[in-house]
């Protein structure tokens, strides 16, 4: 019996040792306000050879979205797997905005560290509190200049090298590289150009990034997205964005090269995406598709069967936590945030099964939740997309309250030109008028199949009977995720022995319901 026990123990130790020696790792690369300006998504003007090469080795998602189109809330949702109203981070984390998640929220780095996975972050963190989002290795704006760890691709390369050189060969890791490109910098660093496209370009006064070979683009050559006005100012804006995206692309190439040199390319799951849509009209801070839609591709070292393919199955940044946990074979822990009788459950799904095949899989219903961006931009919205087609947006501040504009976007050539054209009565050359962008109906419903540009609100049309169904599904999702805005704007959320309920305000009669 003793001999059998010893053999059994040795066998267990051998199996554990063998498992550790074949450590599975994750490299998560996130762009900042990155869109679809790359070859894999049909843009042949903006040069992105490294992203295109990675996409050719990955499963590419054509319908990936963020659950919230704002920097800090999106990153918090990505790292917790919970929508912003559930994890508690409602707006920007930095400066006067000062938003934080609930202190006891369980983020991905916390869960992984408790399960023996080493974690690292390089670049833009932009979430808090620190106790809820602690990585083993941190080189972020909290201990560096965000320009150096987010845009200086040579510095980023060296930090990735440092992280990998410090890595225990038998311990798995997750490395989160969060670029600051191609975020606007009109507000904080206007000297470097609209997108910091001059930062480190080698010209006098702009510094020099050794590994960056700047690419300049002519405004007349850019491909304008349908949601951007066709004006000289907007074309100049897009051209500057392209230069910054090219720097992001070269930075991604350097990061992947460091992974290869460290011998980790064959055991690392690589995920590329963006926190939200680009900072243009209808984009970031909106629940319209240009604000929600993000690029995403995933490369697995295990399964090559779908490399270079594109899937139409909906994906959500909320899927990243369950995907990473699935990769490491870690169960999501059971806990609560505010009340013991309200257990937290992930609403996302693992995307790993898609890497080998869809097997008749259909898209899940998509849900989005936005509260604010800057602290002055309170404009809560909820959205649902069903069957990849029917989309319902609930604007909780409408009608009457204008949609707010953030500082970066306000100072952009695109928006200032739109503002001046409107004031002077000149054609806007856009898909809508500025007044319609500011003032929205409480409910907006779009048929994305017949109206992909989201120009025609059909929620009142009789043939679209989906409205009530979508409205009820959205309400039930808000209820299941403990949304404090569940009853807004026409009720007050209360609770009794039977649970939460909505007490009516009877405020509809005071305005013409839209």
């Amino acid at each position: 019996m003793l001999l059998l026990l010893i053999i059994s123990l040795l066998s267990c130790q051998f199996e554990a040792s063998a498992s550790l020696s074949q450590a599975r790792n994750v490299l998560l690369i996130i762009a900042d306000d990155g869109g679809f300006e790359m070859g894999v998504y049909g843009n042949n003007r903006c040069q992105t050879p490294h992203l295109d090469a990675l996409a050719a080795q990955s499963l590419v998602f054509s319908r990936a979205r963020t659950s919230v189109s704002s920097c800090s809330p999106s990153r918090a949702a990505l790292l917790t797997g919970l929508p912003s109203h559930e994890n508690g981070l409602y707006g920007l984390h930095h400066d006067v905005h000062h938003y934080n998640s609930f202190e006891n929220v369980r983020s991905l780095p916390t869960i992984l560290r408790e399960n023996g996975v080493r974690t690292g972050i390089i670049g833009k963190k932009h979430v808090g509190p620190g106790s809820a989002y602690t990585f083993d290795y941190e080189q972020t704006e909290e201990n560096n200049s965000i320009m150096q760890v987010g845009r200086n691709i040579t510095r980023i390369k060296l930090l990735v090298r440092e992280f990998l050189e410090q890595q225990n060969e038998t311990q798995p890791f997750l490395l989160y590289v969060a670029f600051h490109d191609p975020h606007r910098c009109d507000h904080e660093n206007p000297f470097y150009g609209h997108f910091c496209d001059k930062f480190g370009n080698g010209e006098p006064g702009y510094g020099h990034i050794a590994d960056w070979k700047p690419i300049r683009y002519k405004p007349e050559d850019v491909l304008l997205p349908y949601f951007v006005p066709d004006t000289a100012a907007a074309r100049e804006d897009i051209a500057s964005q392209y230069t910054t995206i090219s720097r992001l692309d070269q930075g991604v190439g350097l990061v992947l090269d460091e992974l290869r040199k460290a011998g980790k390319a064959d055991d690392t799951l690589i995920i590329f995406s963006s926190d939200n849509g680009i900072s243009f009209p209808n984009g970031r801070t909106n629940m319209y598709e240009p604000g929600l839609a993000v690029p995403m591709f995933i490369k697995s070292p295990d399964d090559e069967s779908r490399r270079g393919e594109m899937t139409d199955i909906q994906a959500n940044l909320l899927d990243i936590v369950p995907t990473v946990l699935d990769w490491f074979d870690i169960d999501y822990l059971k806990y609560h945030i505010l009340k013991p009788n309200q257990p937290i459950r992930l609403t996302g799904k693992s995307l790993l099964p898609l890497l080998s095949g869809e097997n008749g899989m259909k898209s899940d219903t998509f849900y989005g939740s936005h509260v604010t961006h800057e602290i002055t931009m309170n404009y809560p919205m909820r959205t649902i997309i069903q069957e990849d087609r029917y989309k319902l947006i609930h604007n909780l501040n409408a009608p009457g309250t204008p949609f707010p504009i953030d500082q970066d976007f306000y100072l952009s050539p695109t928006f200032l030109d739109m503002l001046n054209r409107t004031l002077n009565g000149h054609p806007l050359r856009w898909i809508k008028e500025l007044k319609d962008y500011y003032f929205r109906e409480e409910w907006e419903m779009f048929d994305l199949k017949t109206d992909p540009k989201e120009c025609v609100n059909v929620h009142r049309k009789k043939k679209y009977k989906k409205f009530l169904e979508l409205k009820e599904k959205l309400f039930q999702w808000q209820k299941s995720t403990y949304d404090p805005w569940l009853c807004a704007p026409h009720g007050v959320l209360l609770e009794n022995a039977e649970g939460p309920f909505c007490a009516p305000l009877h405020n509809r009669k005071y305005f013409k319901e839209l």
Side-chain angles (χ1 to χ4, degrees), residues 2 17 26 29 55 98 106 197 216 241 280 294 313 331 377 448 491:
L2 180 61
S17 175
V26 173
I29 304 174
H98 200 57
R106 310 288 282 175
D197 43 293
R216 304 303 301 179
Q241 181 210 28
F280 280 87
V294 293
I313 297 292
D331 293 328
M377 295 177 63
L448 298 180

Side-chain angles (χ1 to χ4, degrees), residues 4-48:
L4 289 174
L5 179 60
I6 292 173
I7 292 173
S8 177
L9 288 172
L10 288 173
S11 175
C12 289
Q13 289 178 355
F14 175 78
E15 289 177 6
S17 175
S19 176
L20 287 173
S21 66
Q22 298 174 357
R24 295 161 67 83
N25 311 302
V26 173
L27 173 61
L28 176 59
I29 304 174
I30 298 295
D32 198 354
D33 298 352
F36 297 87
E37 294 77 21
M38 58 188 78
V40 63
Y41 286 108
N43 187 324
N44 60 1
R45 307 291 176 83
C46 187
Q47 299 180 37
T48 54

Side-chain angles (χ1 to χ4, degrees), residues 78-294:
L78 182 156
L79 290 172
T80 63
L82 307 175
S84 59
H85 65 254
E86 190 171 18
N87 70 56
L89 204 156
Y90 307 133
L92 298 183
H93 169 67
H94 70 293
D95 291 343
V96 66
H97 320 293
H98 200 57
Y99 284 100
N100 286 286
S101 293
F102 297 118
E103 288 79 358
N104 59 338
V105 74
R106 310 288 282 175
S107 69
L108 186 59
T110 300
I111 298 170
L112 294 181
R113 186 171 57 254
E114 292 173 352
N115 285 273
V117 178
R118 180 172 176 248
T119 60
I121 178 172
I122 297 168
K124 187 173 181 177
K125 189 176 184 182
H126 211 207
V127 291
S131 58
Y133 297 95
T134 301
F135 291 78
D136 298 312
Y137 176 95
E138 297 195 9
Q139 295 290 345
T140 71
E141 75 277 8
E142 296 180 352
N143 54 356
N144 296 270
S145 160
I146 185 57
M147 299 289 279
Q148 294 300 324
V149 295
R151 299 188 194 266
N152 185 338
I153 61 176
T154 297
R155 174 71 172 146
I156 294 169
K157 173 191 74 173
L158 295 175
L159 291 174
V160 170
R161 182 180 301 172
E162 180 179 82
F163 174 84
L164 294 173
E165 287 178 345
Q166 295 174 359
Q167 181 65 30
N168 184 328
E169 285 297 320
T170 61
Q171 185 182 21
F173 68 78
L174 173 136
L175 178 58
Y176 172 28
V177 181
F179 286 90
H180 196 25
D181 284 333
H183 192 285
R184 287 190 179 276
C185 67
D186 293 286
H187 171 50
E188 295 186 342
N189 293 285
F191 172 74
Y192 290 115
H194 302 302
F195 286 88
C196 285
D197 43 293
K198 299 178 182 179
F199 174 70
N201 68 1
E203 296 178 11
Y206 295 125
H208 180 239
I209 300 175
D211 290 291
W212 184 33
K213 298 177 177 59
I215 303 173
R216 304 303 301 179
Y217 295 88
K218 295 179 180 179
E220 60 268 25
D221 292 337
V222 302
L223 288 178
L224 280 180
Y226 70 86
F227 53 90
V228 175
D230 191 356
T231 61
R235 285 184 169 276
E236 175 193 335
D237 217 5
I238 292 286
S240 297
Q241 181 210 28
Y242 277 16
T243 295
T244 313
I245 290 172
S246 294
R247 182 170 58 206
L248 163 71
D249 176 74
Q250 292 175 38
V252 169
L254 293 174
V255 171
L256 297 178
D257 198 41
E258 290 300 317
L259 189 72
R260 180 187 59 79
K261 290 178 180 177
K264 297 297 181 182
D266 293 333
D267 53 25
T268 300
L269 182 76
I270 302 174
I271 304 174
F272 174 83
S273 191
S274 174
D275 57 346
N276 43 249
I278 63 178
S279 182
F280 280 87
N282 269 25
R284 188 186 71 186
T285 74
N286 283 278
M287 282 294 184
Y288 300 128
E289 288 301 281
L292 292 178
V294 293

